[in-house]
Amino acid sequence: MTTMLKIEQVAKTFTLHVQGGVEISVFQGLDLTVDAGECVVLSGGSGVGKSTLMRMIDANYVCPSGRILVRHDEDWVDMASAHPHQIIEVRRRTIAYVSQFLRVVPRVATLDIVSEPLRAVGVDAEEARARAAGLLQRLRIPESLWSLSPITFSGGEQQRVNIARGFILGRPVMLLDEPTASLDAANREVVLDLIREARNRGAAIVGIFHDADIRDAVSTRAFEMAHYARQAA
Amino acid sequence: MIGAAQPILQADDVAHYYGRHRGCEHVSFDLFPGEVMGVVGESGSGKSTLLSTLYGRLTPTAGRVTCRTRTDESVDIHTISEPERRLLMRVDWAFVHQNPRDGLRMNVSAGANVGERLMAVGERHYGDIRSKAIDWLERVEVDAERIDDLPATYSGGMQQRLQIARNLVTGPRLIFMDEPTGGLDVSVQARLLDLLRGLVTDLGLSAIVVTHDLAVVRLLAHRLLVMRKGRVVESGLTDQVLDDPQHPYSQLLVSSILRT
């Protein structure tokens, strides 16, 4: 299979200058390769750095040492050292990052938020909105809410808007940080289907799922993070 | 779209000193077409001095500011002739002031404020100018019925939107903004930000936005410079700098935000 993501000898330490320069070592010497069609589930207890690693792949967190190579078209882009405008380009077309939390511009309608990733790759407004509507319907967001900003929505609704925005464009690398955390059973089923469909179309997926049923349903492999925890000195 | 093109503006080791006092120094960056860069820092950090130096209002004590013109020439904005510089500012650049009164002519109508810029770039047909002015007032969500009113009769938020219309009507490629939402109340700020974001994306503008408000840069800017005491202490992708700041001062800045 085509390799989509190569993480090589990555380490992460946070230095909290505001709190007396405390250093928190998260992991070191971490290697992970993910192929197209795989769904690798990060495992390990709380604080082992699962979300931190996800954010580093998306370049939301700084990667101080090692390389994080993402296949972007025919090139490998190192997210640890790429220029901001390259990272934005990789996020636009290659990496979809779905977190637990929705962060949006006030006043923008849900339908526009969900269609935005399509608009950003040049899909025309009408088609983008039609596809966004289809996905929102599938995720059971009532049509009466589509023209409103999701800021006032319930937690579960916001999360589904976030999922819709993440899945609307079939990007080849997907980072899923607890995408089903506050969903009921019916909605969770829809999200599981979306993840399976993404895997079947060849997306390389890295996920964090605390719920064992979900993990079993979508995972092709587990990656134990605890092996890379830095030993206490 | 942000891509492979040449930078539209380059700062190369730029400094400006007020006598012996450092305004800003050692500032270098490349700004690409379609890119929005935020400059953040507390009062006195040198961010407005930097903006004025980049815009050519202040002369750099050291370093160079180079810009790429519409005709794809690379020019040093501080050494080109005065007519060339004025043309550049009329055609390619725009400046949005914190206080709309500094960017508007308060004694002529809103329509004239917008139309004047069109006339400055050679438009002569009254009907065209008026219809473009109306179009732009609508784009910035000012009721077209108010076109003949003086800006002084507008609210602060409307004045700021009018200033933006006046600046964008001529289709600039690079826009400098100094605290564009400063002095506006919170709901008006959100509306203005949303509007600016839409315009910047739709028109593919490049922009440099100076602000002390981190929420503004999170929404508007692709990347950030964090300034302190006249120097850039950290730079990078906006969400990276805000979510995983590295420099002690950036960490302090981010951790000082009140969360609601």
Side-chain angles (χ1 to χ4, degrees):
Chain A
M1 273 315 263
T2 317
T3 298
M4 297 303 297
L5 176 65
K6 286 193 284 193
I7 298 174
E8 298 172 352
Q9 288 297 301
V10 158
K12 180 66 178 173
T13 302
F14 292 101
T15 307
L16 309 179
H17 294 287
V18 187
Q19 295 172 55
V22 176
E23 291 212 349
I24 299 172
S25 296
V26 189
F27 45 70
Q28 62 178 347
L30 190 147
D31 292 309
L32 170 64
T33 298
V34 185
D35 291 344
E38 274 197 294
C39 177
V40 175
V41 174
L42 304 182
S43 59
S46 179
V48 81
K50 301 185 292 291
S51 293
T52 295
L53 180 62
M54 293 275 227
R55 286 166 177 261
M56 286 165 75
I57 299 170
D58 192 46
N60 174 233
Y61 279 6
V62 173
C63 176
S65 71
R67 300 201 298 170
I68 297 176
L69 301 169
V70 173
R71 185 188 291 276
H72 178 63
D73 298 333
E74 296 310 308
D75 300 321
W76 287 103
V77 174
D78 180 7
M79 298 299 276
S81 62
H83 189 275
H85 78 266
Q86 252 180 318
I87 293 170
I88 289 168
E89 199 47 33
V90 170
R91 288 177 177 176
R92 193 167 68 87
R93 290 192 287 118
T94 300
I95 294 184
Y97 171 52
V98 182
S99 72
Q100 299 171 57
F101 309 102
L102 182 73
R103 192 175 246 161
V104 293
V105 188
R107 286 209 331 155
V108 180
T110 296
L111 198 59
D112 293 327
I113 288 168
V114 175
S115 42
E116 197 274 331
L118 291 173
R119 300 282 290 126
V121 295
V123 176
D124 74 36
E126 202 153 323
E127 192 196 329
R129 284 171 144 251
R131 281 165 65 181
L135 192 51
L136 285 169
Q137 207 144 37
R138 207 175 150 191
L139 285 158
R140 300 155 198 262
I141 303 286
E143 192 169 347
S144 55
L145 298 182
W146 296 356
S147 59
L148 306 176
S149 161
I151 284 176
T152 55
F153 290 7
S154 74
E157 283 163 349
Q158 289 195 1
Q159 195 168 23
R160 279 175 282 148
V161 171
N162 215 17
I163 289 165
R165 184 170 59 170
F167 280 84
I168 187 90
L169 173 65
R171 279 167 283 197
V173 175
M174 301 199 72
L175 308 172
L176 309 177
D177 191 345
E178 289 277 8
T180 55
S182 46
L183 301 184
D184 60 29
N187 286 314
R188 206 154 51 212
E189 226 22 73
V190 178
V191 177
L192 285 180
D193 281 340
L194 286 171
I195 298 172
R196 288 194 202 99
E197 285 164 26
R199 216 178 58 197
N200 291 339
R201 70 167 162 78
I205 303 171
V206 180
I208 301 172
F209 306 98
H210 282 126
D211 185 318
D213 293 342
I214 292 170
R215 211 156 50 211
D216 294 344
V218 297
S219 159
T220 58
R221 173 159 63 105
F223 181 76
E224 181 50 69
M225 297 275 299
H227 299 326
Y228 303 93
R230 188 163 282 190
Q231 303 303 313
Chain B
M1 196 180 83
I2 297 160
Q6 299 268 9
I8 190 165
L9 190 77
Q10 285 180 288
D12 180 17
D13 204 23
V14 169
H16 180 82
Y17 274 77
Y18 298 99
R20 287 170 56 199
H21 176 73
R22 182 203 308 149
C24 63
E25 70 176 8
H26 298 312
V27 180
S28 297
F29 63 83
D30 291 348
L31 185 75
F32 290 89
E35 209 172 23
V36 178
M37 186 174 80
V39 182
V40 297
E42 62 202 359
S43 308
S45 61
K47 53 192 197 300
S48 294
T49 299
L50 174 63
L51 195 72
S52 292
T53 310
L54 296 171
Y55 186 66
R57 198 175 283 142
L58 292 175
T59 307
T61 314
R64 263 158 57 94
V65 180
T66 320
C67 104
R68 194 156 285 272
T69 65
R70 201 167 284 246
T71 52
D72 217 27
E73 277 174 284
S74 183
V75 296
D76 180 331
I77 66 137
H78 293 100
T79 60
I80 53 175
S81 69
E82 193 52 29
E84 277 180 301
R85 207 172 71 85
R86 290 177 63 156
L87 183 71
L88 183 76
M89 300 214 164
R90 271 208 304 259
V91 178
D92 278 353
W93 289 12
F95 196 105
V96 174
H97 296 265
Q98 172 174 6
N99 187 341
R101 287 164 182 273
D102 296 332
L104 291 172
R105 293 219 308 159
M106 300 302 284
N107 55 349
V108 300
S109 72
N113 263 283
V114 179
E116 187 181 60
R117 292 281 299 219
L118 286 169
M119 284 158 69
V121 296
E123 293 240 10
R124 288 293 173 264
H125 188 276
Y126 177 77
D128 287 350
I129 292 172
R130 190 164 172 93
S131 70
K132 274 189 190 164
I134 289 173
D135 177 47
W136 266 96
L137 289 180
E138 283 170 351
R139 287 179 82 160
V140 299
E141 304 173 15
V142 170
D143 188 348
E145 302 245 304
R146 309 260 332 242
I147 185 168
D148 296 318
D149 296 351
L150 292 179
T153 67
Y154 282 19
S155 69
M158 282 171 73
Q159 286 180 4
Q160 194 55 298
R161 295 200 301 278
L162 177 64
Q163 188 191 183
I164 289 164
R166 174 179 158 94
N167 271 287
L168 294 186
V169 67
T170 50
R173 300 186 308 145
L174 175 59
I175 177 162
F176 296 78
M177 295 188 250
D178 190 2
E179 301 277 6
T181 60
L184 300 176
D185 64 55
V186 179
S187 64
V188 178
Q189 269 188 24
R191 183 175 180 192
L192 185 74
L193 275 179
D194 179 24
L195 178 84
L196 275 174
R197 208 177 107 104
L199 290 171
V200 164
T201 314
D202 293 348
L203 305 172
L205 295 176
S206 307
I208 299 178
V209 186
V210 161
T211 178
H212 64 272
D213 186 341
L214 300 185
V216 169
V217 287
R218 188 179 288 274
L219 289 182
L220 273 184
H222 298 112
R223 50 194 273 242
L224 282 190
L225 301 181
V226 181
M227 291 192 71
R228 187 182 192 219
K229 295 183 179 168
R231 295 194 177 127
V232 175
V233 296
E234 184 163 352
S235 65
L237 196 67
T238 300
D239 61 77
Q240 196 179 73
V241 173
L242 295 182
D243 293 341
D244 189 15
Q246 303 295 303
H247 189 275
Y249 177 69
S250 319
Q251 289 190 359
L252 182 67
L253 205 62
V254 169
S255 68
S256 308
I257 305 172
L258 297 172
R259 294 241 164 82
T260 52

